[in-house]
């Protein structure tokens, strides 16, 4: 239906449903529907049968509402009176056009057993049920949406064939089998041995994604393909979370090992003397994504102690793709901006006007429910920036490649303020947050977040909106103000 076209409908009914039809006709008219109803349109002396036939066959009338109660159903089935005449016309139209969606049964009455009264010739059609007051409004909305061709549930636009379908088959069985063994482990010693084996196997499998002298497009396509192995890791994460082990320590060790093995050429060949930083770009992106996912998982559990462990621990990380010297730093080292994708590849794509290609991919195309929706990942990324401001972390040693803050790549995809900060009005909830900030009182919590104010420069160059801070959601004096 054209946006500016007024829908026109005809109502077929029996006098026994007059009150319902009158109310329905008036309400539809008030909602912009041109209602053709005999009480309004048929005058004395006019041929009622001709009027009915003209309305049913009129191409300008987009819908015919058939109001079905006990009397209407009986007359339709027995072909009696005006209803019988309309039935002859309508049924011939329906049977003559199998795919006809012009005729909509409206249930006005049910029998003593709760079955709707519907004439036999339209019994198989999906109907609108206006017989029950408790569901009337919901059903009326469905009718109005049908008339305007604005359904509540719409088939989404057909997307592109996933690029990772074309990748060569990779054998994830060793990884998934280890996850199954972890789930069934009976002793702590065996559990930790299996976890170590999984991490080694995961890193080994990641190495198969290495591309020597890769182009920016190949780096991006490789990132898209790696969703499958990322999802294997997320299954590992949730499995560890269910074992009762302190998963944050395991994850911290895992990130350190992945970084030092996969972002440095000597993790592939200890004797190498040359390396291109772009060859290891995909691994820096992968670690960045995994870290956000891990925070999203712990945040969904409100496991703020584990988040604090990951954010405040010291990581000993290699400094470059060729230098395997380790530096003492913090989680901010896992934040990665990919010039290869954002500055070299994105301008060549249809998405060149997006603020971030990686952020768009992460938040819009890589959902894994229930813990890793696009919204949850966007919020976790923003959360890392906001909490980092409160923790005031700085690298213990200096290195030119280590940043001093976490820029939230995905902040533009966050739909509403983070719930934790709005809930800090509650003293009880503040106590849950104490482990996150490493404090033990409301006063100490206020002191930790007092400088977490809006920074207008924390934004993309062309964006009007900067990333919000903790104190964008709550005033300092409101923290702990209610029970």
């Amino acid at each position: 239906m054209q946006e500016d076209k007024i829908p026109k409908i005809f109502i077929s009914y029996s006098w026994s449903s007059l009150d319902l039809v009158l109310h329905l006709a008036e309400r539809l008219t008030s909602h912009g529907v041109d209602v053709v109803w005999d009480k309004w349109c048929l005058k004395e002396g006019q041929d009622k049968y001709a009027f009915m036939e003209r309305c049913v066959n009129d191409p300008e009338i987009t819908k015919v509402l058939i109001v079905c109660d006990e009397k209407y159903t009986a007359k339709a089935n027995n072909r009696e009176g005006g209803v019988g005449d309309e039935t002859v016309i309508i049924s011939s139209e329906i049977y003559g056009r199998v795919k006809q969606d012009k005729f909509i049964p409206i249930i006005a009455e049910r029998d003593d057993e709760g079955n709707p009264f519907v004439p036999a010739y339209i019994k198989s059609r999906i109907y609108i049920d206006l017989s029950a007051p408790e569901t009337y409004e919901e059903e009326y909305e469905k009718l109005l949406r049908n008339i305007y061709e604005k359904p509540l549930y719409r088939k989404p636009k057909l997307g592109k064939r996933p690029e990772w379908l074309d990748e060569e088959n990779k054998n994830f069985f060793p990884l998934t089998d280890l996850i199954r063994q972890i789930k069934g482990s009976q002793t702590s010693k065996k559990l930790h041995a299996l976890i170590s084996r999984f991490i080694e196997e995961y890193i080994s499998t990641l190495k198969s994604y290495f591309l020597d002298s890769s182009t920016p497009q190949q780096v991006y396509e490789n990132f898209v393909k790696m969703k499958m192995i990322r999802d294997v890791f997320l299954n590992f994460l949730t499995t560890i979370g269910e074992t009762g082990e302190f998963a944050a320590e395991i994850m911290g060790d895992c990130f350190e090992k992945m970084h030092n093995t996969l972002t440095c050429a000597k993790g592939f060949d200890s004797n190498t003397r040359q390396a291109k930083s772009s060859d290891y770009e995909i691994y820096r992106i992968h670690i960045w994504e995994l870290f956000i996912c891990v925070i999203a998982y712990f945040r969904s559990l409100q496991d703020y102690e584990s988040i604090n462990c990951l954010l405040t621990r010291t990581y000993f990380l290699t400094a470059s793709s060729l230098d395997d010297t380790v530096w003492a730093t913090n989680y901010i080292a896992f934040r990665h901006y990919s010039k290869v994708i954002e500055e070299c590849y994105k301008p060549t794509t249809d998405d060149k006007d997006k603020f971030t290609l990686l952020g768009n991919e992460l938040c819009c195309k890589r959902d894994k429910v229930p813990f890793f929706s696009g919204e949850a990942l966007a919020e976790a990324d923003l959360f890392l920036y906001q909490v980092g401001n409160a923790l005031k972390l700085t690298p213990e040693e200096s290195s030119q490649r280590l940043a001093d803050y976490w820029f939230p790549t995905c902040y533009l995809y966050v739909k509403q303020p983070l719930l934790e900060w709005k809930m800090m009005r509650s003293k009880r909830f503040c106590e849950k947050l104490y482990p996150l900030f490493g404090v033990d009182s409301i006063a100490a919590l206020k002191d930790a977040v007092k400088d977490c104010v809006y920074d207008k420069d924390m934004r993309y160059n062309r964006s009007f909106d900067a990333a919000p801070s903790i104190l964008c959601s709550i005033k300092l004096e409101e923290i702990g103000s209610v029970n």
Side-chain angles (χ1 to χ4, degrees):
M1 177 183 291
Q2 297 176 1
E3 292 292 331
D4 59 347
K5 187 175 180 180
I6 296 174
K8 191 174 184 179
I9 64 113
F10 170 68
I11 301 178
S12 175
Y13 72 104
S14 170
W15 61 267
S16 50
S17 289
L18 182 60
D19 289 343
L20 181 148
V21 173
L22 175 60
H23 173 76
L24 180 62
E26 289 177 339
R27 192 172 186 191
L28 287 173
T29 302
S30 74
H31 285 136
V33 180
D34 184 2
V35 177
V36 179
W37 183 35
D38 61 355
K39 295 295 184 187
W40 292 344
C41 303
L42 196 60
K43 298 178 180 178
E44 292 79 2
Q46 291 183 317
D47 188 324
K48 185 175 182 179
Y49 184 88
F51 170 76
M52 295 173 187
E53 186 172 22
R54 185 174 67 254
C55 289
V56 170
N57 291 295
D58 186 349
E60 291 188 3
I61 291 181
T62 56
K63 303 290 180 184
V64 174
L65 308 188
I66 305 169
V67 180
C68 308
D69 61 8
E70 185 176 7
K71 296 284 187 184
Y72 186 98
T73 300
K75 289 181 178 181
N77 288 339
N78 297 321
R79 301 296 194 267
E80 296 176 357
V83 171
D85 294 337
E86 289 181 26
T87 298
V88 172
I89 300 168
I90 294 172
S91 60
S92 64
E93 280 284 299
I94 290 176
Y95 293 139
R97 305 181 190 182
V98 178
K99 295 183 179 180
Q100 179 63 271
D101 61 355
K102 182 175 182 177
F103 302 94
I104 305 174
I106 307 292
I107 305 303
E109 192 176 6
R110 291 174 176 267
D111 64 22
D112 293 338
E113 296 179 355
N115 300 312
F117 286 108
V118 189
Y121 74 96
I122 53 169
K123 202 148 194 161
S124 63
R125 301 233 159 193
I126 297 174
Y127 53 72
I128 299 292
D129 187 358
L130 299 182
S131 66
E134 60 269 19
T135 58
Y136 186 95
E137 291 303 323
E138 180 181 350
E139 293 291 304
Y140 176 78
E141 180 184 339
K142 283 165 59 177
L143 172 62
L144 198 61
R145 286 183 175 278
N146 186 301
I147 292 170
Y148 276 100
E149 297 179 4
K150 297 289 185 181
L152 183 61
Y153 301 102
R154 304 183 193 184
K155 184 177 180 179
K157 182 180 178 182
L158 192 65
K160 296 180 180 179
R161 183 173 185 265
E163 296 173 358
W164 49 263
L165 288 176
D166 298 320
E167 77 165 310
E168 60 186 69
N169 292 330
K170 296 191 182 294
N171 183 14
F172 295 146
F173 175 77
L175 291 169
T176 56
D177 186 57
L178 282 166
I179 292 174
R180 281 192 288 269
Q181 291 183 58
I182 289 170
K183 288 181 178 179
S185 179
Q186 300 297 314
T187 67
S188 179
K189 183 177 181 180
K190 182 178 180 181
L191 175 63
H192 284 275
L194 290 169
I195 289 171
S196 296
R197 282 175 57 192
F198 177 90
I199 294 171
E200 292 291 343
E201 184 67 31
Y202 189 78
I203 290 173
S204 176
T205 306
L206 283 175
K207 286 184 176 182
S208 66
Y209 287 88
F210 179 81
L211 291 176
D212 188 21
S213 300
S214 54
T215 65
Q217 181 175 348
Q218 288 174 323
V219 173
Y220 178 75
E221 290 173 350
N222 221 10
F223 167 70
V224 173
K225 292 175 183 178
M226 289 175 74
K227 181 183 185 298
M228 293 180 69
I229 191 169
R230 182 210 70 167
D231 288 350
V232 173
F233 185 90
L234 299 186
N235 289 338
F236 167 68
L237 166 63
T238 56
T239 299
I240 296 302
E242 293 166 1
T243 64
E245 295 293 314
F246 192 43
E249 286 287 354
I250 296 169
M251 289 298 118
D253 293 343
C254 184
F255 280 113
E256 193 172 76
K257 191 174 186 67
M258 279 195 293
H259 182 280
N260 292 343
T261 305
L262 297 168
T263 68
C264 181
K266 293 189 177 182
F268 291 77
D269 179 0
S270 59
N271 296 317
T272 189
R273 294 181 177 275
Q274 58 182 5
K276 286 176 57 180
S277 179
S278 59
D279 289 342
Y280 308 95
E281 180 76 4
I282 188 62
Y283 299 116
R284 296 187 182 95
I285 297 170
H286 186 67
I287 291 169
W288 164 76
E289 179 182 17
L290 287 186
F291 197 82
I292 290 173
C293 288
V294 170
I295 297 303
Y297 174 68
F298 287 132
R299 183 169 172 261
S300 71
L301 303 179
Q302 292 190 354
D303 185 355
Y304 298 117
E305 181 180 0
S306 289
I307 295 177
N308 177 271
C309 175
L310 282 166
L311 302 194
T312 59
R313 80 173 264 170
T314 299
Y315 296 92
F316 293 90
L317 306 178
T318 54
S320 73
S321 56
L322 193 57
D323 183 2
D324 60 354
T325 305
V326 296
W327 298 83
T329 186
N330 56 55
Y331 81 96
I332 293 171
F334 298 130
R335 196 271 163 183
H336 183 65
Y337 171 74
S338 177
K339 287 186 178 181
V340 173
I341 289 178
E342 305 292 4
E343 297 180 21
C344 299
Y345 177 62
K346 186 178 73 174
T348 69
T349 72
D350 293 338
D351 294 321
K352 58 181 176 292
D353 292 329
K354 291 189 181 299
F355 288 108
T356 164
L357 193 57
L358 278 180
N360 180 69
E361 183 76 25
L362 186 64
C363 299
C364 302
K365 302 179 183 180
R366 290 167 86 87
D367 274 19
K368 179 176 168 56
V369 294
F371 301 109
F372 311 103
S373 67
E375 178 72 4
L377 298 183
E379 289 186 359
D381 188 28
L382 177 60
F383 181 89
L384 283 165
Y385 158 67
Q386 293 175 329
V387 175
N389 277 353
L391 295 177
K392 301 176 178 63
L393 301 173
T394 56
E396 294 184 15
E397 300 173 357
S398 62
S399 170
Q400 291 183 347
R401 70 173 297 276
L402 299 178
D404 56 3
Y405 63 90
W406 181 285
F407 180 80
T409 301
C410 307
Y411 78 90
L412 290 169
Y413 296 89
V414 176
K415 297 176 183 177
Q416 55 189 0
L418 302 196
L419 191 59
E420 284 95 339
W421 316 141
K422 298 179 78 68
M423 291 179 66
M424 280 202 299
R425 292 183 65 223
S426 163
K427 292 178 183 177
R428 293 166 64 89
F429 190 76
C430 284
E431 291 175 0
K432 288 187 177 182
L433 290 178
Y434 288 170
L436 175 62
F437 297 101
V439 300
D440 58 7
S441 67
I442 297 292
L445 179 59
K446 288 182 177 180
D447 187 62
V449 303
K450 69 176 189 293
D451 296 325
C452 298
V453 296
Y454 182 73
D455 182 353
K456 63 181 178 60
D457 294 325
M458 194 59 58
R459 61 184 176 88
Y460 288 100
N461 289 336
R462 295 180 290 111
S463 174
F464 177 79
D465 296 317
S469 66
I470 291 175
L471 293 182
C472 287
S473 299
I474 189 170
K475 296 178 180 178
L476 199 62
E477 60 270 21
E478 292 177 328
I479 295 175
S481 60
V482 298
N483 288 327

